[in-house]
Amino acid sequence: MVNPASSFWWIPLYPLAGAALIAVFRRGVSFIAPLAVALSFLHAATLWMAAPRAPLTHTLSQWMPGLPMGFLLDELSLTMVLLVSGVGLLIHLYSLVYMDGEEGFWRYFACLNLFVFFMLLLVLADNLIFLFAGWEGVGLASYLLIGFHHDRPTVNRNANKAFLYNRAGDAGFLLGTLILLATLGTVDFASLNAAPATAATLAAALLLAFAATGKSAQLPLFVWLPDAMVGPTPVSALIHAATMVTAGIYLFARLGPFLGAHPEAGFVIAVIGAVTSLLAATVAVVENDIKRILAYSTVSQLGLMFLAAGLGATQAAMFHVLTHAFFKALLFLTAGNVIHALRGEQDIRFMGGLRGKMPWTFRLMTLAGLSLAGFPGLAGFFSKEAILHAATAQPLLLAVAFLVSFLTALYTSRMLWAVFYGTYQRDGHEAHGLMLHALWPLGLGSAAAGLLGPSQPVSWALLLGSTVVSLSGLYLGRNIRIPGLVEAFLKRRWFVSEAYELVLVEGATHRGSRLLYWVDRNIVDLIPRLSAGVASVTSSFSAMFDRVVVDGLVHLVALLVEVVSFPLRLLETGRIHHYALFILLTLAFSLGWYWLA
Amino acid sequence: MMTLLWLPVLGALLLLVMPRKLAWPAALAVALATLGMAAGLPVTATERYSWIPTIGAQVLLVNDGISYLLVLLTALMTLLGLAASPGQPRLFYAMLLGLSAGCYGVFLAQDLLVFFLCFEAVLIPMYFLIGLYGAEDRRRAAFKFFLYTVVGSVALLLGILTLYFQHAAQTGVYTFELTPLLSTRLPLATERLVFWAFFLGFAIKIPMFPFHTWLPDAHTQAPTAGSVMLAAVLLKMGTYGFVRFSLPLLPQASLDSSVLMGLSVFAILYGGWVCLAQTDWKRLVAYSSVSHMGFCTLGIFSLNAPGLEGAMLQQINHGVSTGLLFLLVGFAYDRRHTRVIADYGGLAKSMPGFAAVFMVALLGSIGLPLLNGFVGEFTILRGAFAARPLAAGFALIGIILAAGYMLSLYRHTMLGAVRHAENASLPDLSPREWLIVTPLLVLTVAIGLYPAPCFALLGGPVEQILERLHP
């Protein structure tokens, strides 16, 4: 029997093996995929039950010089492992029915298992660069799953967009890591959290914050998340709501003391969170696509977590990560039931009156929605209260957080009323089997996960305030009317996406690259062409020199020989009697000479 | 090691008189035997044969970690290139084998004359591979390739001769051997001159910006095996030359490397950006090579251990990934006879195996962690950051660009609906093609997960070079 504690680093390997088996054999998918994730969950659960729990470490091998593949399991990573594998398991089960009969069923589960592997790697890594392996890996799995229906329009474009915005963040991650490696010589979390603050480490902290805005969809890199909703709905629930997008907050929690040593970076993170949160919440109020409402809501909630983490309350942020995972996954999956029932319809204007047709989906979604809206007593109420509590020192940020809470209640209520009340428009039917039963644990979490929160002093003013805000938002959301101009502006999502599109896609990618390619072919290529030209001109000169001077000399010699030989040649006639005559004449001449001399 | 040079040449000569049908299997057998022999080479070995004693020329072959990896890469890519080219004339196979022999010479010789001769000799088979067996515009491309590299070679030869005569003037000994030449004391101005002469020779081969324009033409026109050898092996002759000869022989001039780091970063960004405008599959991969080789030169001119080790590892990674990419383009070309990206689309439907392999190759190439490219690139960046933080910062933009052009290529060839009816019924990878890609896939993953053996091979030689630079 293997000791579960010393083999804790196997936890991510089960889904990896699952993904590999599925990809190779493409058989037994509906058995292998959930089983792999269940094994991870059970392994982690065994460790959770074991008391007392001491942090576990394991170094697998040396990856790059001085950078090991090291694993670390402590309270923080154990919570995340349970969350990822637990919610992951439920979503695997849900997907068995949701994706049934789809072409590429095996591919879907191979990618989903692969995602769980990378996510578990991310939360179990004991140093920054090994964490990065999971960090980019979840981006890859997200890309593959967003693009699952790759023959549908805009899907591939959005998948690329998600990968590229993440990669921009990743570049910042790498630069931050390089700075830390160069200044501290190590990037394992224990050393980082003990390191003194310098200008260089501050720069690194800011760069890591930038990286987190990519993964966790915050300004300036948040635009990919709403577009990622073209992926299958269970994927949106798992990756783009419950787990991957919280990686940024996990990073802040992991580096808590390090960030604490850099309050400037923390403040920047808090402000980014507040602004993004507000922006996304306003957009969610006017969105009509149910999945995009939930996506903007996710961006907004992640903003609140950023706010808390930036102000040093990483426990509050992680608490919200936990409750948010329950209620947002539940919201997405119930939305998936609705979309499934309506055969792909996602626009809430074409929904309505489904309360009677889908009673359990209605109850669960309402529960999750109320939890999101911070209805008193539900999980979201407590975690949001913890965040508000963290923001009390910064009145402006506290005000933003209250405003966001109000808007959250507003858009949640608007969505719920539009889907389940009003006039009945389309044929719908209740989900069955695992698509319903996989949701119960999430419902339980959405209601009761508030019990898991860190203990903190109760501030009655905050409790009262957030209750009032939540209830008024829920009440007003039923019949909300937004002025046309404001709506039009918000519908364009504050023009952030358009601005990027113009600069990055149209400007840099299309025009810029074509211009540069033209330069390459017509200007840089002048080097060989010009030198070829020079070579051919000089070679024609040298050819001329060759003909005139070199050949000329040869010809001159030949000519001289010719000239000199001409008289002699006249003698060479080839006739015997001429030769006889020459002989005779020569003889006579020489005899005469001799005689005369 | 001498047999490593002779075996492919003998094989090539034998091929020419063989029956045509036997030529391909025979060539494969020779390549396989060479690969086995290369793998069996002792990692540190020296062989010396006298050649022309009057001018001090000799054949000196030395193996070390850097050479060993490159020799293995050459042997593997030769075998795979041959395996990917059935049904070609005997001369084609002979040329490919001859090419590999020249490459072994380049990577093993530590006598500058032999190095130079092999450096040149490689040109001839490559010229014919492109010029005889290439695509529609092959003559022009082959000629451009030949002229460009010959110009570089002339500069290189002048540099070598300067060293040779300077050494003779100082010691009275005429030799081309690397080790004695190290003790030559050159005035800094002369050293710089020789450095830039070497630079021209090597930079054209790599190719570094702005001497790269022959590469896209040569790659698009070359046959598959030619592209594979060109990208995987021939480009490395330049980076290898820098590391083996420029840095140790001319340390003072090399220390002055900020311009070259700048050029490298420029090449990374420029190559990547130009990739985004490409409509020709092979041309895109060719420009991506410019960008990736920029990482290699960036590492080299960081002049520190991570930079050099990373660069030496990354050139192997580039060989594996880009070699695989060119093989895959070749497979697609065999089926559709077009390189135009717009003629493809939706291949993942008809060729899922091909699409999966292409995805792995792509991810290795763009440096996804746990695959080969990342290990090399990150190590290079560590070196570059230690030398010049700003250079590393700009080079990082290159990895975003790489993801951009590669995913865009993948999207327009593999994904989406099938736009051309011909693409709907293309056969997936054949068993032979699977056999060809498998070793490269294994290497992609293996180097990415466990690069320690490679670093162990590179550590020693790199340390020796650094000792010359920073005594």
Side-chain angles (χ1 to χ4, degrees):
Chain A
M1 186 63 199
V2 190
N3 180 358
S6 61
S7 62
F8 82 92
W9 54 278
W10 293 5
I11 291 174
L13 302 185
Y14 306 114
L16 178 66
L21 285 175
I22 292 170
V24 173
F25 296 109
R26 302 183 186 181
R27 251 171 254 277
V29 175
S30 41
F31 177 68
I32 295 174
L35 179 70
V37 184
L39 283 175
S40 294
F41 180 74
L42 287 177
H43 197 149
T46 324
L47 296 175
W48 190 66
M49 313 269 215
R53 296 197 295 267
L56 298 168
T57 54
H58 179 80
T59 302
L60 186 58
S61 71
Q62 199 66 14
W63 188 19
M64 288 177 280
L67 300 171
M69 285 185 167
F71 295 89
L72 163 71
L73 188 82
D74 59 1
E75 289 292 319
L76 177 62
S77 39
L78 186 58
T79 315
M80 282 302 280
V81 167
L82 285 170
L83 175 68
V84 170
S85 55
V87 176
L89 176 60
L90 294 174
I91 286 171
H92 272 73
L93 294 172
Y94 179 92
S95 300
L96 287 178
V97 184
Y98 191 87
M99 298 303 286
D100 190 31
E102 290 268 358
E103 190 192 337
F105 186 72
W106 67 271
R107 183 161 55 91
Y108 174 84
F109 279 99
C111 291
L112 209 57
N113 262 354
L114 191 69
F115 168 77
V116 177
F117 159 68
F118 280 125
M119 193 68 208
L120 291 175
L121 196 66
L122 192 161
V123 298
L124 283 171
D126 83 337
N127 67 66
L128 211 48
I129 197 68
F130 194 43
L131 182 145
F132 184 72
W135 185 272
E136 273 241 301
V138 289
L140 166 70
S142 150
Y143 159 81
L144 291 172
L145 284 164
I146 295 170
F148 178 73
H149 293 292
H150 65 82
D151 47 359
R152 296 186 187 165
T154 76
V155 166
N156 299 315
R157 204 181 137 77
N158 292 356
N160 280 11
K161 185 173 179 179
F163 194 92
L164 289 176
Y165 278 94
N166 270 297
R167 201 113 220 259
D170 294 349
F173 194 113
L174 283 178
L175 192 57
T177 311
L178 288 172
I179 292 176
L180 291 172
L181 262 181
T183 51
L184 303 174
T186 170
V187 286
D188 70 278
F189 294 125
S191 322
L192 291 184
N193 283 331
T198 61
T201 53
L202 175 62
L206 287 170
L207 283 163
L208 290 176
F210 176 71
T213 66
K215 199 61 67 194
S216 294
Q218 299 292 296
L219 274 172
L221 298 175
F222 79 97
V223 292
W224 64 270
L225 186 62
D227 287 344
M229 293 300 127
V230 294
T233 304
V235 168
S236 311
L238 178 61
I239 301 183
H240 304 120
T243 55
M244 182 185 91
V245 288
T246 62
I249 292 101
Y250 170 76
L251 182 69
F252 295 151
R254 182 47 82 202
L255 290 172
F258 175 76
L259 279 181
H262 302 93
E264 306 89 340
F267 187 71
V268 171
I269 293 169
V271 171
I272 287 176
V275 174
T276 314
S277 184
L278 187 60
L279 187 152
T282 55
V283 178
V285 174
V286 298
E287 250 319 326
N288 289 320
D289 181 315
I290 188 167
K291 285 187 72 180
R292 293 181 73 99
I293 295 175
L294 294 176
Y296 277 107
S297 163
T298 306
V299 174
S300 173
Q301 297 300 308
L302 290 166
L304 288 181
M305 299 174 210
F306 259 55
L307 199 164
L311 294 176
T314 47
Q315 278 207 327
M318 284 308 294
F319 182 30
H320 201 52
V321 165
L322 189 71
T323 59
H324 178 258
F326 286 116
F327 61 69
K328 193 53 71 66
L330 185 54
L331 278 170
F332 265 112
L333 294 183
T334 45
N337 282 354
V338 171
I339 294 165
H340 211 65
L342 300 182
R343 288 183 194 78
E345 182 57 64
Q346 302 197 152
D347 194 322
I348 56 168
R349 287 169 298 182
F350 302 113
M351 299 176 183
L354 290 172
R355 184 171 41 123
K357 292 279 176 186
M358 310 177 73
W360 286 109
T361 301
F362 161 67
R363 283 168 205 162
L364 285 166
M365 195 174 192
T366 308
L367 171 68
L370 290 177
S371 192
L372 165 66
F375 190 81
L378 296 178
F381 175 76
F382 292 108
S383 56
K384 200 164 286 177
E385 207 272 332
I387 287 176
L388 293 172
H389 194 85
T392 40
Q394 300 278 352
L396 193 61
L397 294 180
L398 182 67
V400 172
F402 265 111
L403 186 53
V404 170
S405 300
F406 171 72
L407 290 170
T408 307
L410 194 71
Y411 64 69
T412 311
S413 149
R414 167 175 176 260
M415 177 184 78
L416 289 173
W417 285 108
V419 175
F420 292 108
Y421 290 86
T423 47
Y424 176 66
Q425 297 193 18
R426 296 238 179 149
D427 191 24
H429 56 83
E430 181 57 287
H432 57 87
L434 283 170
M435 273 174 74
L436 196 59
H437 300 310
L439 305 183
W440 301 121
L442 294 175
L444 186 67
S446 306
L451 301 172
L452 302 173
S455 55
Q456 59 180 32
V458 180
S459 155
W460 294 105
L462 279 182
L463 280 182
L464 188 68
S466 70
T467 308
V468 169
V469 159
S470 166
L471 293 179
S472 58
L474 284 170
Y475 176 74
L476 290 173
R478 180 176 184 180
N479 281 314
I480 184 169
R481 293 277 176 277
I482 312 261
L485 203 62
V486 178
E487 188 180 8
F489 175 71
L490 292 180
K491 278 244 166 85
R492 305 306 295 267
R493 297 162 201 120
W494 296 48
F495 295 95
V496 180
S497 204
E498 274 90 345
Y500 285 152
E501 194 81 0
L502 189 70
V503 175
L504 294 176
V505 180
E506 191 49 40
T509 307
H510 291 159
R511 286 166 201 236
S513 70
R514 269 183 225 134
L515 177 72
L516 206 64
Y517 183 43
W518 184 88
V519 168
D520 194 67
R521 273 175 311 165
N522 296 292
I523 296 179
V524 182
D525 204 34
L526 280 181
I527 296 172
R529 276 195 236 162
L530 275 183
S531 30
V534 171
S536 86
V537 168
T538 47
S539 73
S540 60
F541 268 117
S542 75
M544 212 191 297
F545 181 83
D546 209 41
R547 266 201 314 278
V548 175
V549 182
V550 181
D551 273 10
L553 274 175
V554 177
H555 286 147
L556 194 68
V557 172
L559 196 68
L560 279 175
V561 172
E562 187 117 330
V563 168
V564 171
S565 64
F566 180 72
L568 290 173
R569 216 167 63 192
L570 290 179
L571 302 178
E572 306 263 334
T573 61
R575 297 182 181 200
I576 298 287
H577 57 271
H578 284 169
Y579 293 156
L581 183 65
F582 289 144
I583 292 168
L584 208 62
L585 283 176
T586 313
L587 203 61
F589 182 77
S590 38
L591 281 176
W593 183 267
Y594 175 71
W595 197 9
L596 287 174
Chain B
M1 282 178 275
M2 203 57 177
T3 29
L4 203 60
L5 269 74
W6 280 116
L7 186 68
V9 174
L10 281 179
L13 292 176
L14 213 63
L15 277 185
L16 293 176
V17 294
M18 252 182 200
R20 279 198 79 155
K21 278 192 175 167
L22 283 180
W24 187 52
L28 284 175
V30 173
L32 194 63
T34 324
L35 177 61
M37 201 184 295
L41 279 184
V43 176
T44 44
T46 308
E47 279 177 25
R48 198 186 291 271
Y49 305 88
S50 73
W51 182 29
I52 318 175
T54 41
I55 60 163
Q58 53 173 343
V59 180
L60 173 65
L61 303 178
V62 179
N63 194 19
D64 67 2
I66 295 176
S67 299
Y68 183 63
L69 285 177
L70 284 165
V71 165
L72 276 184
L73 179 73
T74 310
L76 179 66
M77 296 322 278
T78 311
L79 179 65
L80 299 182
L82 281 168
S85 325
Q88 295 279 4
R90 284 166 293 186
L91 187 61
F92 180 92
Y93 301 129
M95 290 290 175
L96 213 58
L97 285 175
L99 183 70
S100 72
C103 295
Y104 298 134
V106 168
F107 296 136
L108 289 172
Q110 289 211 357
D111 179 280
L112 280 167
L113 190 64
V114 178
F115 168 77
F116 178 76
L117 287 179
C118 292
F119 196 83
E120 284 303 275
V122 165
L123 275 185
I124 300 160
M126 198 66 220
Y127 173 77
F128 284 114
L129 278 175
I130 299 175
L132 291 178
Y133 307 107
E136 63 284 348
D137 198 16
R138 54 182 178 270
R139 292 275 169 74
R140 202 180 60 80
F143 195 58
K144 192 170 176 182
F145 162 72
F146 193 82
L147 275 188
Y148 226 136
T149 35
V150 158
V151 169
S153 304
V154 171
L156 180 62
L157 181 63
L158 289 176
I160 291 176
L161 289 177
T162 313
L163 274 177
Y164 173 73
F165 286 117
Q166 286 283 332
H167 181 77
Q170 286 174 19
T171 61
V173 180
Y174 285 93
T175 180
F176 287 102
E177 190 183 333
L178 180 62
T179 322
L181 284 178
L182 291 177
S183 61
T184 318
R185 296 258 170 278
L186 293 180
L188 190 56
T190 320
E191 195 178 320
R192 290 221 167 105
L193 215 60
V194 176
F195 182 84
W196 288 104
F198 276 36
F199 167 80
L200 201 61
F202 297 142
I204 287 176
K205 211 55 164 204
I206 289 174
M208 287 176 81
F209 179 88
F211 306 115
H212 63 276
T213 53
W214 62 268
L215 187 74
D217 287 341
H219 266 313
T220 35
Q221 301 305 320
T224 300
S227 288
V228 170
M229 287 303 279
L230 187 59
V233 183
L234 261 65
L235 306 188
K236 312 305 176 314
M237 298 186 348
T239 41
Y240 175 80
F242 272 125
V243 172
R244 177 70 74 209
F245 299 106
S246 290
L247 300 190
L249 281 171
L250 312 156
Q252 292 305 314
S254 306
L255 284 179
D256 199 18
S257 66
S258 359
V259 181
L260 296 173
M261 281 185 87
L263 267 184
S264 306
V265 173
F266 194 80
I268 293 171
L269 301 183
Y270 181 89
W273 207 349
V274 170
C275 272
L276 289 169
Q278 298 309 313
T279 52
D280 179 311
W281 194 339
K282 275 186 125 179
R283 197 169 276 269
L284 191 152
V285 183
Y287 274 110
S288 84
S289 284
V290 174
S291 182
H292 286 138
M293 292 309 283
F295 271 103
C296 290
T297 50
L298 179 67
I300 291 173
F301 294 113
S302 304
L303 305 178
N304 50 30
L308 279 170
E309 285 174 21
M312 293 297 98
L313 180 60
Q314 185 61 11
Q315 56 179 358
I316 305 296
N317 292 334
H318 175 258
V320 170
S321 299
T322 310
L324 183 50
L325 285 174
F326 273 122
L327 282 168
L328 290 171
V329 187
F331 296 159
Y333 187 84
D334 290 343
R335 288 164 170 75
R336 284 280 280 116
H337 298 284
T338 170
R339 299 187 309 266
V340 180
I341 292 171
D343 288 345
Y344 292 95
L347 292 199
K349 291 254 174 210
S350 45
M351 305 167 70
F354 181 93
V357 175
F358 187 22
M359 178 49 85
V360 177
L362 177 161
L363 294 172
S365 169
I366 67 174
L368 191 90
L370 305 185
L371 296 181
N372 59 353
F374 178 75
V375 178
E377 274 176 11
F378 186 71
T379 315
I380 288 171
L381 286 169
R382 272 173 87 178
F385 190 87
R388 288 194 176 265
L390 207 59
F394 277 107
L396 272 167
I397 300 174
I399 70 160
I400 308 176
L401 285 173
Y405 61 75
M406 273 299 175
L407 289 182
S408 159
L409 171 67
Y410 196 81
R411 172 181 154 202
H412 288 118
T413 52
M414 296 293 121
L415 303 180
V418 177
R419 288 191 304 275
H420 302 274
E422 305 94 303
N423 293 333
S425 55
L426 294 179
D428 204 348
L429 292 180
S430 67
R432 177 179 62 87
E433 289 165 335
W434 272 112
L435 264 181
I436 295 172
V437 298
T438 306
L440 296 176
L441 290 179
V442 170
L443 280 176
T444 303
V445 178
I447 299 179
L449 285 177
Y450 192 59
C454 297
F455 282 118
L457 279 173
L458 295 170
V462 163
E463 200 174 316
Q464 280 177 10
I465 292 160
L466 287 174
E467 213 131 284
R468 286 286 300 166
L469 287 167
H470 313 287

